[in-house]
Coordinates of all heavy atoms in Angstrom, one line a residue:
M5 N 0.8 -1.2 0.0 CA 0.0 0.0 0.0 C 0.9 1.2 0.0 O 1.8 1.4 0.8 CB -0.9 0.0 1.3 CG -2.1 -0.9 1.2 SD -3.4 -0.5 0.0 CE -4.1 0.9 0.9
T6 N 0.6 2.1 -0.9 CA 1.3 3.4 -0.9 C 0.2 4.5 -0.6 O -0.9 4.3 -0.8 CB 1.9 3.7 -2.3 OG1 0.9 3.6 -3.3 CG2 3.0 2.7 -2.6
T7 N 0.8 5.5 -0.1 CA -0.1 6.6 0.3 C -0.6 7.2 -1.1 O 0.2 7.6 -1.9 CB 0.7 7.7 1.0 OG1 1.3 7.1 2.2 CG2 -0.3 8.8 1.5
P8 N -1.9 7.3 -1.2 CA -2.5 7.9 -2.4 C -2.1 9.4 -2.5 O -2.1 10.1 -1.6 CB -4.0 7.7 -2.3 CG -4.3 7.5 -0.9 CD -3.0 7.0 -0.2
A9 N -1.7 9.8 -3.8 CA -1.4 11.2 -4.0 C -2.7 12.0 -3.9 O -3.8 11.4 -4.2 CB -0.8 11.3 -5.4
P10 N -2.6 13.2 -3.6 CA -3.8 14.0 -3.6 C -4.5 14.0 -5.0 O -3.7 14.0 -6.0 CB -3.3 15.5 -3.3 CG -2.0 15.3 -2.7 CD -1.4 14.0 -3.3
V11 N -5.8 13.9 -5.0 CA -6.5 13.9 -6.3 C -6.4 15.2 -7.0 O -6.7 16.3 -6.4 CB -8.0 13.5 -6.1 CG1 -8.7 13.6 -7.4 CG2 -8.1 12.2 -5.3
P12 N -5.9 15.2 -8.2 CA -5.7 16.5 -8.9 C -7.1 17.1 -9.2 O -8.0 16.3 -9.6 CB -5.0 16.2 -10.2 CG -5.0 14.7 -10.3 CD -5.4 14.1 -9.0
T13 N -7.2 18.3 -9.1 CA -8.5 19.0 -9.4 C -8.2 20.1 -10.4 O -7.0 20.4 -10.7 CB -9.2 19.6 -8.2 OG1 -8.4 20.8 -7.8 CG2 -9.3 18.6 -7.1
R14 N -9.2 20.7 -10.9 CA -9.0 21.8 -11.8 C -9.0 23.2 -11.1 O -9.1 24.2 -11.7 CB -10.0 21.8 -12.9 CG -9.8 20.6 -13.9 CD -10.6 20.9 -15.2 NE -12.0 20.8 -14.9 CZ -12.7 19.6 -15.0 NH1 -12.0 18.5 -15.3 NH2 -14.0 19.6 -14.8
K15 N -8.9 23.1 -9.8 CA -8.8 24.3 -9.0 C -7.4 25.0 -9.2 O -6.4 24.3 -9.0 CB -9.1 24.0 -7.5 CG -10.5 23.6 -7.3 CD -11.4 24.8 -7.1 CE -12.8 24.4 -6.6 NZ -13.6 23.6 -7.6
E16 N -7.4 26.2 -9.5 CA -6.2 27.0 -9.6 C -6.2 28.0 -8.5 O -7.2 28.5 -8.1 CB -6.1 27.7 -10.9 CG -6.0 26.8 -12.1 CD -4.6 26.2 -12.2 OE1 -3.6 27.0 -12.0 OE2 -4.4 25.0 -12.4
I17 N -5.0 28.2 -7.9 CA -4.8 29.2 -6.9 C -3.9 30.3 -7.4 O -2.8 30.1 -7.9 CB -4.2 28.5 -5.6 CG1 -5.2 27.5 -5.1 CG2 -3.9 29.6 -4.6 CD1 -4.6 26.7 -3.9
Q18 N -4.4 31.5 -7.3 CA -3.7 32.6 -7.8 C -3.5 33.7 -6.7 O -4.4 34.0 -5.9 CB -4.5 33.3 -8.9 CG -3.8 34.3 -9.7 CD -4.6 34.7 -10.9 OE1 -5.7 35.1 -10.8 NE2 -4.0 34.6 -12.1
I19 N -2.3 34.1 -6.6 CA -1.9 35.1 -5.6 C -2.5 36.5 -6.0 O -2.4 36.9 -7.2 CB -0.4 35.2 -5.4 CG1 0.1 33.9 -4.8 CG2 -0.1 36.4 -4.4 CD1 1.6 33.8 -4.9
T20 N -3.2 37.1 -5.1 CA -4.0 38.3 -5.5 C -3.5 39.6 -4.8 O -4.0 40.7 -5.0 CB -5.5 38.2 -5.2 OG1 -5.6 37.9 -3.8 CG2 -6.1 37.0 -6.0
G21 N -2.4 39.4 -4.0 CA -2.0 40.6 -3.3 C -0.5 40.5 -2.9 O 0.2 39.6 -3.3
I22 N -0.1 41.4 -2.1 CA 1.3 41.5 -1.6 C 1.5 40.6 -0.4 O 0.6 40.6 0.5 CB 1.6 43.0 -1.3 CG1 1.5 43.9 -2.5 CG2 3.0 43.1 -0.6 CD1 1.5 45.3 -2.2
R23 N 2.6 39.9 -0.4 CA 2.9 39.1 0.7 C 3.2 40.0 2.0 O 3.9 41.0 1.9 CB 4.1 38.2 0.4 CG 4.5 37.3 1.6 CD 5.7 36.4 1.2 NE 5.3 35.5 0.2 CZ 6.1 34.7 -0.5 NH1 7.4 34.8 -0.3 NH2 5.7 33.8 -1.4
K24 N 2.6 39.6 3.1 CA 2.8 40.4 4.3 C 3.6 39.6 5.3 O 3.6 38.4 5.3 CB 1.4 40.6 5.0 CG 0.5 41.4 4.1 CD 0.8 42.8 3.9 CE -0.3 43.6 3.2 NZ 0.2 45.0 2.9
H25 N 4.4 40.3 6.1 CA 5.3 39.7 7.1 C 4.9 40.2 8.5 O 4.8 41.4 8.7 CB 6.7 40.1 6.8 CG 7.2 39.6 5.4 ND1 7.8 38.4 5.2 CD2 7.0 40.2 4.2 CE1 8.0 38.2 3.9 NE2 7.6 39.3 3.3
V26 N 4.9 39.3 9.4 CA 4.6 39.7 10.8 C 5.3 38.7 11.7 O 5.5 37.6 11.4 CB 3.0 39.7 11.1 CG1 2.4 38.3 10.9 CG2 2.7 40.3 12.4
A27 N 5.8 39.3 12.9 CA 6.4 38.5 13.9 C 5.5 38.4 15.1 O 4.8 39.3 15.4 CB 7.8 39.0 14.2
E28 N 5.6 37.3 15.8 CA 4.8 37.1 17.0 C 5.7 36.5 18.1 O 6.5 35.6 17.8 CB 3.6 36.1 16.7 CG 2.7 35.9 17.9 CD 1.6 34.9 17.6 OE1 1.4 34.5 16.4 OE2 0.9 34.5 18.5
C29 N 5.5 37.0 19.3 CA 6.2 36.5 20.4 C 5.4 35.3 21.0 O 4.2 35.4 21.4 CB 6.4 37.5 21.5 SG 7.3 36.9 23.0
V30 N 6.0 34.1 21.0 CA 5.4 32.9 21.6 C 6.0 32.5 22.9 O 5.8 31.3 23.3 CB 5.3 31.8 20.5 CG1 4.5 32.2 19.4 CG2 6.8 31.4 20.1
T31 N 6.8 33.3 23.5 CA 7.4 33.0 24.8 C 6.3 32.7 25.8 O 5.3 33.5 25.9 CB 8.2 34.2 25.3 OG1 9.2 34.6 24.2 CG2 9.0 33.9 26.6
E32 N 6.4 31.6 26.5 CA 5.4 31.3 27.5 C 5.7 32.0 28.8 O 6.8 32.0 29.4 CB 5.4 29.8 27.8 CG 4.7 29.0 26.7 CD 4.3 27.6 27.1 OE1 4.3 27.3 28.3 OE2 3.9 26.8 26.2
I33 N 4.6 32.6 29.3 CA 4.7 33.2 30.6 C 3.5 32.7 31.5 O 2.4 32.8 31.1 CB 4.5 34.8 30.5 CG1 5.5 35.3 29.5 CG2 4.6 35.5 31.9 CD1 4.8 36.2 28.5
D34 N 3.9 31.9 32.5 CA 2.9 31.3 33.4 C 1.9 30.5 32.5 O 0.7 30.5 32.7 CB 2.1 32.3 34.2 CG 3.0 33.1 35.1 OD1 4.0 32.6 35.5 OD2 2.7 34.3 35.3
G35 N 2.4 29.7 31.6 CA 1.6 28.8 30.8 C 0.8 29.4 29.6 O 0.2 28.6 28.8
T36 N 0.9 30.7 29.4 CA 0.3 31.3 28.2 C 1.3 32.0 27.5 O 2.3 32.6 28.0 CB -0.9 32.3 28.6 OG1 -0.5 33.0 29.7 CG2 -2.2 31.5 28.9
E37 N 1.1 32.1 26.1 CA 2.0 32.7 25.3 C 1.9 34.2 25.4 O 0.8 34.8 25.6 CB 1.8 32.3 23.8 CG 2.2 30.9 23.5 CD 2.0 30.6 22.1 OE1 1.5 31.3 21.3 OE2 2.4 29.4 21.7
C38 N 3.0 34.9 25.3 CA 3.0 36.4 25.3 C 2.0 36.9 24.3 O 1.1 37.8 24.6 CB 4.4 36.9 25.1 SG 4.5 38.7 24.8
G39 N 2.1 36.5 23.0 CA 1.2 36.8 22.0 C 1.4 38.2 21.4 O 0.6 38.6 20.6
A40 N 2.4 38.9 21.8 CA 2.7 40.2 21.2 C 3.0 40.1 19.7 O 3.7 39.2 19.3 CB 3.8 40.9 21.9
H41 N 2.4 41.0 18.9 CA 2.6 41.0 17.5 C 3.4 42.2 17.0 O 3.2 43.3 17.6 CB 1.3 41.0 16.7 CG 0.6 39.7 16.7 ND1 -0.1 39.3 17.8 CD2 0.5 38.7 15.8 CE1 -0.6 38.1 17.5 NE2 -0.3 37.7 16.3
S42 N 4.2 42.1 16.0 CA 4.8 43.2 15.4 C 3.8 43.9 14.5 O 2.7 43.3 14.3 CB 6.1 42.8 14.6 OG 5.6 42.2 13.5
N43 N 4.1 45.0 13.9 CA 3.3 45.5 12.8 C 3.4 44.6 11.7 O 4.2 43.7 11.7 CB 3.8 46.9 12.4 CG 3.6 48.0 13.5 OD1 2.6 47.9 14.2 ND2 4.4 49.0 13.5
V44 N 2.5 44.8 10.7 CA 2.6 44.0 9.5 C 3.3 44.8 8.4 O 2.9 45.9 8.1 CB 1.1 43.6 9.0 CG1 1.1 42.8 7.8 CG2 0.4 42.8 10.1
W45 N 4.3 44.2 7.8 CA 5.1 44.9 6.8 C 5.1 44.1 5.5 O 4.9 42.9 5.4 CB 6.5 45.0 7.3 CG 6.7 45.9 8.5 CD1 6.6 47.3 8.4 CD2 7.1 45.6 9.8 NE1 6.8 47.8 9.7 CE2 7.2 46.8 10.5 CE3 7.3 44.4 10.4 CZ2 7.5 46.9 11.9 CZ3 7.7 44.4 11.8 CH2 7.7 45.6 12.5
D46 N 5.4 44.9 4.4 CA 5.5 44.3 3.1 C 6.9 43.6 2.9 O 7.2 43.0 1.9 CB 5.4 45.4 2.0 CG 3.9 45.9 2.0 OD1 3.1 45.2 2.6 OD2 3.7 46.9 1.3
T47 N 7.8 43.8 3.9 CA 9.1 43.3 3.8 C 9.5 42.6 5.1 O 9.0 43.0 6.1 CB 10.2 44.3 3.4 OG1 11.5 43.8 3.7 CG2 10.0 45.6 4.3
A48 N 10.3 41.6 5.0 CA 10.7 40.8 6.2 C 11.8 41.5 7.0 O 12.1 41.1 8.1 CB 11.1 39.4 5.8
M49 N 12.3 42.5 6.4 CA 13.6 43.1 7.0 C 13.4 43.8 8.4 O 14.3 43.9 9.1 CB 14.3 44.1 6.0 CG 13.5 45.3 5.7 SD 14.3 46.2 4.4 CE 15.7 46.9 5.3
Y50 N 12.1 44.2 8.7 CA 11.9 44.8 10.0 C 11.6 43.8 11.1 O 11.5 44.2 12.3 CB 10.8 45.8 9.9 CG 11.0 46.9 8.9 CD1 10.1 47.1 7.8 CD2 12.2 47.7 8.9 CE1 10.4 48.1 6.9 CE2 12.4 48.6 8.0 CZ 11.5 48.8 6.9 OH 11.7 49.8 6.0
L51 N 11.3 42.6 10.7 CA 10.9 41.6 11.7 C 12.0 41.4 12.8 O 11.7 41.4 14.0 CB 10.6 40.2 11.1 CG 9.4 40.2 10.1 CD1 9.2 38.8 9.6 CD2 8.1 40.8 10.8
D52 N 13.3 41.2 12.4 CA 14.3 41.0 13.3 C 14.5 42.2 14.2 O 14.9 42.1 15.4 CB 15.6 40.7 12.6 CG 15.6 39.3 11.9 OD1 14.6 38.6 12.2 OD2 16.6 39.0 11.2
V53 N 14.3 43.4 13.6 CA 14.4 44.6 14.5 C 13.4 44.6 15.6 O 13.7 44.9 16.7 CB 14.3 45.9 13.6 CG1 14.3 47.1 14.4 CG2 15.3 45.9 12.5
W54 N 12.2 44.3 15.2 CA 11.1 44.2 16.2 C 11.4 43.1 17.2 O 11.2 43.3 18.4 CB 9.7 43.9 15.5 CG 8.6 43.9 16.5 CD1 7.9 45.0 17.0 CD2 8.1 42.7 17.2 NE1 7.0 44.5 17.9 CE2 7.1 43.2 18.1 CE3 8.4 41.4 17.1 CZ2 6.4 42.3 18.9 CZ3 7.7 40.5 17.9 CH2 6.7 40.9 18.7
I55 N 11.8 42.0 16.8 CA 12.1 40.9 17.7 C 13.2 41.2 18.7 O 13.1 41.0 19.9 CB 12.5 39.6 16.9 CG1 11.2 39.0 16.2 CG2 13.2 38.6 17.8 CD1 11.5 37.9 15.2
R56 N 14.3 41.9 18.2 CA 15.3 42.3 19.1 C 14.8 43.3 20.1 O 15.2 43.2 21.3 CB 16.5 42.9 18.3 CG 17.3 41.8 17.6 CD 18.7 42.4 17.2 NE 19.3 41.5 16.3 CZ 19.2 41.6 14.9 NH1 18.6 42.6 14.4 NH2 19.8 40.7 14.2
A57 N 14.1 44.3 19.7 CA 13.5 45.3 20.6 C 12.6 44.7 21.6 O 12.7 45.0 22.8 CB 12.8 46.3 19.8
H58 N 11.7 43.7 21.2 CA 10.8 43.1 22.1 C 11.6 42.2 23.1 O 11.4 42.2 24.3 CB 9.8 42.2 21.4 CG 8.8 41.6 22.3 ND1 7.6 42.3 22.7 CD2 8.7 40.4 22.9 CE1 6.9 41.6 23.4 NE2 7.5 40.4 23.6
A59 N 12.7 41.5 22.6 CA 13.5 40.7 23.4 C 14.2 41.5 24.5 O 14.4 41.1 25.6 CB 14.4 39.8 22.6
D60 N 14.7 42.6 24.0 CA 15.4 43.5 24.9 C 14.5 44.0 26.1 O 14.9 44.1 27.2 CB 16.0 44.8 24.2 CG 17.3 44.4 23.5 OD1 17.9 43.4 23.8 OD2 17.8 45.3 22.7
E61 N 13.3 44.4 25.7 CA 12.4 45.0 26.6 C 11.8 44.0 27.6 O 11.7 44.3 28.8 CB 11.2 45.7 25.8 CG 10.4 46.6 26.7 CD 9.4 47.4 25.9 OE1 9.5 47.4 24.7 OE2 8.6 48.1 26.5
Y62 N 11.5 42.8 27.1 CA 10.8 41.9 28.0 C 11.6 40.6 28.3 O 11.1 39.8 29.1 CB 9.5 41.5 27.4 CG 8.5 42.6 27.1 CD1 8.5 43.2 25.8 CD2 7.7 43.0 28.1 CE1 7.5 44.2 25.6 CE2 6.8 44.1 27.9 CZ 6.7 44.7 26.7 OH 5.9 45.7 26.4
E63 N 12.8 40.5 27.7 CA 13.6 39.3 27.9 C 12.9 38.1 27.4 O 13.1 37.0 28.0 CB 14.1 39.2 29.3 CG 15.0 40.4 29.8 CD 15.7 40.2 31.0 OE1 15.4 39.2 31.8 OE2 16.7 40.9 31.3
H64 N 12.1 38.2 26.4 CA 11.4 37.1 25.8 C 12.3 36.5 24.7 O 13.1 37.2 24.1 CB 10.1 37.5 25.2 CG 9.0 37.8 26.3 ND1 7.8 38.4 26.0 CD2 9.1 37.7 27.6 CE1 7.2 38.6 27.2 NE2 8.0 38.1 28.1
K65 N 12.2 35.2 24.5 CA 13.2 34.5 23.7 C 12.7 33.7 22.5 O 13.4 33.2 21.6 CB 14.1 33.6 24.5 CG 15.0 34.4 25.5 CD 15.9 33.5 26.3 CE 17.0 34.3 27.0 NZ 16.5 35.4 27.9
K66 N 11.3 33.4 22.5 CA 10.8 32.6 21.5 C 9.8 33.3 20.6 O 8.8 33.9 21.1 CB 10.0 31.4 22.1 CG 11.0 30.2 22.5 CD 10.2 29.1 23.1 CE 9.6 28.3 22.0 NZ 8.8 27.1 22.5
F67 N 10.1 33.3 19.3 CA 9.2 34.1 18.4 C 8.9 33.2 17.2 O 9.6 32.2 16.9 CB 10.0 35.3 17.9 CG 10.3 36.3 19.0 CD1 11.4 36.2 19.8 CD2 9.4 37.3 19.2 CE1 11.7 37.0 20.8 CE2 9.7 38.2 20.3 CZ 10.8 38.1 21.0
V68 N 7.9 33.5 16.4 CA 7.7 33.0 15.1 C 7.6 34.1 14.1 O 7.1 35.2 14.5 CB 6.4 32.1 15.0 CG1 6.6 30.8 15.7 CG2 5.2 32.9 15.5
K69 N 8.0 33.9 12.9 CA 7.8 34.8 11.8 C 6.8 34.2 10.9 O 6.9 33.1 10.5 CB 9.1 35.0 11.0 CG 10.3 35.6 11.8 CD 11.5 35.6 11.0 CE 12.7 36.3 11.7 NZ 13.9 36.3 10.9
R70 N 5.8 35.0 10.5 CA 4.8 34.5 9.7 C 4.7 35.4 8.4 O 5.0 36.5 8.4 CB 3.4 34.6 10.3 CG 3.3 33.9 11.6 CD 1.8 33.9 12.1 NE 1.6 33.6 13.5 CZ 1.8 32.4 14.0 NH1 2.0 31.3 13.2 NH2 1.6 32.2 15.3
T71 N 4.4 34.7 7.4 CA 4.1 35.4 6.1 C 2.7 35.0 5.7 O 2.3 33.9 5.9 CB 5.1 35.1 5.0 OG1 5.0 33.7 4.7 CG2 6.5 35.5 5.3
E72 N 2.0 35.9 5.1 CA 0.8 35.5 4.5 C 0.5 36.2 3.2 O 1.1 37.4 3.0 CB -0.4 35.8 5.5 CG -0.5 37.2 5.9 CD -1.8 37.5 6.8 OE1 -2.0 36.6 7.6 OE2 -2.4 38.5 6.6
E73 N -0.1 35.6 2.3 CA -0.5 36.2 1.0 C -1.9 35.9 0.6 O -2.3 34.7 0.8 CB 0.6 35.9 -0.1 CG 0.8 34.5 -0.3 CD 2.0 34.3 -1.1 OE1 2.8 35.2 -1.5 OE2 2.3 33.1 -1.5
P74 N -2.6 36.8 0.2 CA -4.0 36.6 -0.2 C -4.0 35.8 -1.5 O -3.2 36.1 -2.4 CB -4.6 38.0 -0.3 CG -3.5 38.9 -0.5 CD -2.2 38.3 0.1
V75 N -4.9 34.8 -1.6 CA -5.0 34.0 -2.8 C -6.5 33.9 -3.1 O -7.4 33.9 -2.2 CB -4.4 32.7 -2.7 CG1 -2.9 32.8 -2.5 CG2 -5.0 31.8 -1.6
N76 N -6.7 33.7 -4.4 CA -8.1 33.3 -4.8 C -8.0 32.0 -5.4 O -7.0 31.6 -6.1 CB -8.6 34.3 -5.9 CG -9.2 35.6 -5.3 OD1 -9.2 35.8 -4.1 ND2 -9.7 36.5 -6.1
V77 N -9.1 31.2 -5.3 CA -9.2 29.9 -6.0 C -10.2 30.0 -7.1 O -11.3 30.6 -6.9 CB -9.7 28.8 -5.0 CG1 -9.9 27.5 -5.7 CG2 -8.7 28.7 -3.8
Y78 N -9.9 29.5 -8.2 CA -10.9 29.5 -9.3 C -10.8 28.2 -10.1 O -9.7 27.5 -10.0 CB -10.7 30.7 -10.3 CG -9.4 30.7 -11.1 CD1 -9.3 30.2 -12.4 CD2 -8.2 31.2 -10.5 CE1 -8.1 30.2 -13.1 CE2 -7.0 31.2 -11.2 CZ -7.0 30.7 -12.5 OH -5.8 30.7 -13.2
T79 N -11.8 27.9 -10.8 CA -11.9 26.6 -11.5 C -11.5 26.8 -13.0 O -12.2 27.7 -13.6 CB -13.2 26.0 -11.3 OG1 -13.5 25.9 -9.9 CG2 -13.3 24.6 -11.9
K80 N -10.5 26.1 -13.4 CA -10.2 26.1 -14.8 C -11.3 25.5 -15.7 O -11.9 24.6 -15.2 CB -8.8 25.4 -15.1 CG -7.6 26.2 -15.0 CD -6.5 25.7 -15.9 CE -5.9 24.5 -15.3 NZ -4.5 24.2 -15.9
P81 N -11.5 26.1 -16.8 CA -12.4 25.4 -17.7 C -12.0 24.0 -18.1 O -10.7 23.7 -18.1 CB -12.4 26.2 -19.0 CG -11.6 27.4 -18.7 CD -10.8 27.2 -17.4
A82 N -12.9 23.1 -18.3 CA -12.5 21.7 -18.6 C -11.7 21.6 -19.8 O -11.8 22.4 -20.8 CB -13.8 20.8 -18.7
K83 N -10.7 20.6 -19.8 CA -9.8 20.5 -21.0 C -10.6 19.9 -22.2 O -11.5 19.1 -22.0 CB -8.8 19.4 -20.7 CG -7.4 20.1 -20.3 CD -6.4 19.0 -20.2 CE -5.2 19.4 -19.4 NZ -4.3 18.3 -19.0
R84 N -10.3 20.5 -23.3 CA -10.9 19.9 -24.5 C -10.3 18.5 -24.8 O -9.1 18.4 -24.6 CB -10.7 20.8 -25.7 CG -11.4 22.1 -25.6 CD -11.5 22.8 -27.0 NE -11.8 24.2 -26.9 CZ -10.9 25.2 -26.9 NH1 -9.6 24.9 -27.1 NH2 -11.3 26.4 -26.7
P85 N -11.1 17.6 -25.3 CA -10.5 16.3 -25.7 C -9.5 16.5 -26.8 O -9.7 17.3 -27.7 CB -11.7 15.5 -26.2 CG -12.9 16.3 -26.1 CD -12.5 17.7 -25.5
Q86 N -8.4 15.8 -26.7 CA -7.3 15.9 -27.7 C -7.7 15.4 -29.1 O -8.2 14.3 -29.2 CB -6.0 15.2 -27.2 CG -5.6 15.6 -25.9 CD -4.8 16.9 -25.9 OE1 -4.3 17.3 -27.0 NE2 -4.7 17.6 -24.8
Ligands
ZN7 ZN1 6.8 38.7 24.4

């Protein structure tokens, strides 16, 4: 038995906007995450700056960097028979 491959569909995914970058502090304090977020930027270059500043201020040490980009899904027209 092999793992079945995902069934191909005619769904297409198209990026519709600018990729956004945000950093989040996931340092645990008394069992809950800090949860502080940076601003959302069009570039990743400010994330490290924000992380260093937050780490300096609160001595927090665990972060995640997230990127997100808006996409639309649309269905391609059916292929014509060859
Ligand atoms: Zn924090």
Side-chain angles (χ1 to χ4, degrees):
M5 285 291 284
T6 56
T7 308
V11 178
T13 69
R14 288 195 294 272
K15 292 276 191 289
E16 291 287 313
I17 296 174
Q18 191 172 53
I19 297 165
T20 56
I22 295 165
R23 181 176 291 169
K24 302 286 187 186
H25 301 266
V26 63
E28 182 183 349
C29 179
V30 295
T31 308
E32 279 197 16
I33 308 129
D34 301 330
T36 39
E37 288 182 358
C38 167
H41 285 77
S42 71
N43 290 331
V44 179
W45 290 291
D46 292 349
T47 165
M49 63 187 288
Y50 302 123
L51 296 183
D52 288 355
V53 177
W54 180 86
I55 288 171
R56 284 195 193 95
H58 186 86
D60 278 351
E61 191 170 353
Y62 299 97
E63 300 193 344
H64 291 171
K65 291 181 166 57
K66 282 184 71 181
F67 296 85
V68 289
K69 296 175 178 178
R70 301 189 199 284
T71 59
E72 61 176 37
E73 51 194 7
V75 297
N76 279 2
V77 176
Y78 66 95
T79 306
K80 268 207 287 197
K83 261 188 196 167
R84 289 195 198 101
Q86 302 282 339

